[in-house]
Amino acid sequence: MVEALRANGLKVTHQRTEIIREIVQTKDHPDVETICRRVRGRIPAVSLDTVYRTISALFERGLINRIMVDAKRARYDADVTRHNHFVCDTCGRIVDIDSTGRGGCRASDKLSEVGVVERVEVLFRGKCIHCVADQE
Ligand SMILES: [Zn+2]
Ligand SMILES: [Zn+2]
């Protein structure tokens, strides 16, 4: 990803490398604040603004994925292969779901009259098994 960033004409600083390392090595779809907190464990001086701008740059170039949990909260995913997500509305956990099988979303035949689909985003929402267990 660092190479891709360079190829896209972005300066790759030490802070940016650490921000990229953080998003690549996690599978929990963190938000910008979480990424910032984790990077600060290694680089205390990193600012939320730097993290925000780096993540936005990666997203704009299609190098990472964004999951809009609601209108205000964006979560990020370094896995840009096609897959869907399960979002727990109780604890905020986001789990990758294979896009085959139940993840397949059937649209009406009218879709072809509306436009050309380039990607499909499916969010399964509910309570994760941990939150269900906590309730019992
Ligand atoms: Zn949960
Ligand atoms: Zn994902």
Side-chain angles (χ1 to χ4, degrees):
M1 195 173 293
V2 168
E3 283 311 311
L5 210 57
R6 222 175 250 132
N8 276 282
L10 266 181
K11 256 222 302 242
V12 183
T13 61
H14 173 56
Q15 290 197 355
R16 277 199 175 132
T17 307
E18 288 303 314
I19 293 163
I20 292 165
R21 192 194 307 281
E22 199 52 62
I23 182 86
V24 166
Q25 74 185 9
T26 184
K27 281 219 147 272
D28 64 359
H29 310 82
D31 57 15
V32 169
E33 284 81 4
T34 304
I35 297 166
C36 186
R37 209 164 46 235
R38 290 174 184 168
V39 173
R40 271 190 186 145
R42 298 191 295 273
I43 312 172
V46 76
S47 72
L48 185 60
D49 192 53
T50 301
V51 178
Y52 184 81
R53 278 187 286 110
T54 304
I55 292 298
S56 295
L58 292 169
F59 174 68
E60 278 159 23
R61 287 159 181 81
L63 300 171
I64 59 172
N65 225 333
R66 183 170 69 185
I67 304 133
M68 294 305 291
V69 173
D70 56 48
K72 284 197 209 99
R73 272 168 59 87
R75 305 266 295 257
Y76 294 90
D77 190 355
D79 181 1
V80 290
T81 61
R82 201 182 144 189
H83 64 281
N84 298 318
H85 294 104
F86 173 87
V87 181
C88 176
D89 288 319
T90 303
C91 71
R93 191 189 307 266
I94 297 185
V95 183
D96 288 333
I97 304 289
D98 214 321
S99 72
T100 56
R102 273 192 67 191
C105 177
R106 289 183 69 87
S108 126
D109 295 338
K110 288 239 166 66
L111 199 55
S112 59
E113 295 164 23
V114 177
V116 179
V117 177
E118 287 169 344
R119 63 206 171 89
V120 180
E121 287 175 6
V122 181
L123 271 192
F124 295 98
R125 306 194 72 131
K127 246 186 198 124
C128 74
I129 49 169
H130 306 283
C131 290
V132 170
D134 280 353
Q135 232 178 13
E136 281 160 4

